[in-house]
Amino acid sequence: MDTDPAPYDPPDWLDREEEVLASYAMRTRQSRGRRHPEAAHAFRTLYQRDRDRIVHSTAFRRLMYKTQVLVAQTNDHHRTRLTHTLEVAQISRTIARQLGLNEDLTEAVALAHDLGHPAFGHAGEQALDDCMRDHGGFEHNRHGLRIVDHLEYRYADFPGLNLSWEVLESMAQHSKRRDAPEVAEFLSAGQPLLEAQVVDAADSLAYDTHDVEDALGAGLITPEDLRDVEFWQRAVERVREHHAVLGPEQFVPTVVRALINWQVTDLLEHTRQRLHQHRIRTVDEIRSAAAMLVGPGPEVLALKAALEEFLRRRVYHHHRVLRMAVKGGRILHELFAEFRRAPQLLPERYLRRILPGFLERTVCDYLAGMTDRYAQDEHLRLFQPFTTV
Ligand code: MG
């Protein structure tokens, strides 16, 4: 005779957090919750659900076709915003697990950290900020908040993704416009959570390192150019200790791995020291600490600064990168001017959303959502008379 299986009885993940997390880690039970209250899920914690909502969002998928440094067409294997985001999430989770932090929250913060970036990298952000100068400006962190609070429309019960307060806070804490109203409400919390500080540090070490690899891959620089970069050279020496001979295909990725490993190890060591020195035991003590606690030690900080100076000079200001940046910026400027002049050219969904006084913000929302290639196609559709409409 058939018997029904026993109903699935999920283990209590909230209790598991108590077992595995350090005392200064953020717990789901401590969360300020969501703007629109929801019933708990049977087997996913609050922050796991945040992570899943971010991964399933349209804005997340569009990161695939958004520039990190090199525009999408450069080649098919350099980083895009999406692969950068995934690298940041991996590195962040490794660090979080080592420090006993909340890995689910860390992952959600990492996956959300660049959601608000427009097409064409920093140049795109600058262009939209110029366009919006008299209308509140544009900045990717604040736009990320708009996306997750208003612009995604996948759920019947609430606008946006209804993420937890802590993930929203991590996006707001990153903003340079601390006076902006959508940011100000989160700043009373004090210092960012360690989980958010980890993502910040992982973001910085990830892009410094992979921008070198992508620049080499795209032929913007050669390995010889890196001879004067001490960080790179010392990583090469470390690699040579284990590999006297390395094929050209393995050389750069092996040095890049060594650089990431060095930075993560150094960051763990110095972060642990700071937590110990400041006798940090609780989330409240992180909130009220005088400074951020996650970050590299002084030696790596100096080496990293010199690498960043090299990247600025030789990569970000390389004429090929500047041409992409100038062109991307021009496309966004021209699209903005045209949609502002003739809003009836906007897709219906955006046209409907224009409230009195919000024309520019609506145009900006439309432009900021575009991927590199969509912006280029849209530019062609509007300014070239004989392409498809
Ligand atoms: Mg980033």
Side-chain angles (χ1 to χ4, degrees), residues 68 81 84 88 113-114 203 207:
Q68 180 69 25
R81 277 268 162 226
H84 159 71
V88 173
H113 92 278
D114 270 352
D203 182 28
Y207 66 66

Short mmCIF file of all heavy atoms in Angstrom, two decimals, residues 68 81 84 88 113-114 203 207, ligand 1:
data_model
loop_
_atom_site.label_atom_id
_atom_site.label_comp_id
_atom_site.label_asym_id
_atom_site.label_seq_id
_atom_site.Cartn_x
_atom_site.Cartn_y
_atom_site.Cartn_z
N GLN A 68 32.45 47.30 -18.89
CA GLN A 68 33.21 47.52 -17.66
C GLN A 68 34.27 48.58 -17.97
O GLN A 68 34.20 49.69 -17.49
CB GLN A 68 33.82 46.19 -17.19
CG GLN A 68 34.63 46.29 -15.92
CD GLN A 68 33.80 46.59 -14.69
OE1 GLN A 68 32.62 46.30 -14.65
NE2 GLN A 68 34.41 47.18 -13.69
N ARG A 81 30.23 44.05 -17.35
CA ARG A 81 29.74 44.32 -15.99
C ARG A 81 29.24 43.05 -15.32
O ARG A 81 29.35 42.90 -14.12
CB ARG A 81 28.56 45.28 -16.03
CG ARG A 81 28.85 46.70 -16.11
CD ARG A 81 28.97 47.46 -14.84
NE ARG A 81 29.67 48.65 -15.27
CZ ARG A 81 30.69 49.20 -14.67
NH1 ARG A 81 31.12 48.73 -13.54
NH2 ARG A 81 31.28 50.25 -15.17
N HIS A 84 32.31 40.82 -14.31
CA HIS A 84 32.95 41.53 -13.19
C HIS A 84 32.15 41.30 -11.91
O HIS A 84 32.71 40.98 -10.86
CB HIS A 84 33.05 43.02 -13.51
CG HIS A 84 33.22 43.88 -12.30
ND1 HIS A 84 34.39 43.91 -11.56
CD2 HIS A 84 32.36 44.72 -11.67
CE1 HIS A 84 34.23 44.74 -10.54
NE2 HIS A 84 33.02 45.24 -10.57
N VAL A 88 33.35 39.57 -8.43
CA VAL A 88 33.27 40.26 -7.13
C VAL A 88 32.49 39.39 -6.14
O VAL A 88 32.87 39.27 -4.97
CB VAL A 88 32.61 41.65 -7.28
CG1 VAL A 88 32.36 42.29 -5.92
CG2 VAL A 88 33.48 42.56 -8.15
N HIS A 113 25.79 45.30 -6.63
CA HIS A 113 26.61 46.51 -6.47
C HIS A 113 26.73 47.36 -7.73
O HIS A 113 26.95 48.56 -7.64
CB HIS A 113 27.99 46.17 -5.87
CG HIS A 113 29.05 45.90 -6.88
ND1 HIS A 113 29.21 44.68 -7.49
CD2 HIS A 113 30.02 46.69 -7.41
CE1 HIS A 113 30.23 44.73 -8.33
NE2 HIS A 113 30.73 45.94 -8.31
N ASP A 114 26.59 46.77 -8.92
CA ASP A 114 26.72 47.56 -10.15
C ASP A 114 25.42 47.59 -10.96
O ASP A 114 25.44 48.00 -12.13
CB ASP A 114 27.84 46.96 -11.04
CG ASP A 114 29.20 47.60 -10.73
OD1 ASP A 114 29.23 48.57 -9.95
OD2 ASP A 114 30.21 47.11 -11.27
N ASP A 203 35.48 44.43 -4.76
CA ASP A 203 35.24 45.14 -6.03
C ASP A 203 36.54 45.80 -6.48
O ASP A 203 36.99 45.63 -7.62
CB ASP A 203 34.14 46.20 -5.79
CG ASP A 203 33.78 46.97 -7.04
OD1 ASP A 203 33.92 46.42 -8.14
OD2 ASP A 203 33.33 48.13 -6.91
N TYR A 207 38.70 44.65 -9.85
CA TYR A 207 38.84 45.40 -11.12
C TYR A 207 40.27 45.85 -11.38
O TYR A 207 40.72 45.86 -12.51
CB TYR A 207 37.79 46.51 -11.30
CG TYR A 207 37.80 47.69 -10.36
CD1 TYR A 207 38.84 48.59 -10.33
CD2 TYR A 207 36.68 47.93 -9.55
CE1 TYR A 207 38.81 49.70 -9.49
CE2 TYR A 207 36.64 49.03 -8.71
CZ TYR A 207 37.71 49.92 -8.68
OH TYR A 207 37.67 51.00 -7.86
MG MG B 1 32.10 47.07 -9.54
#
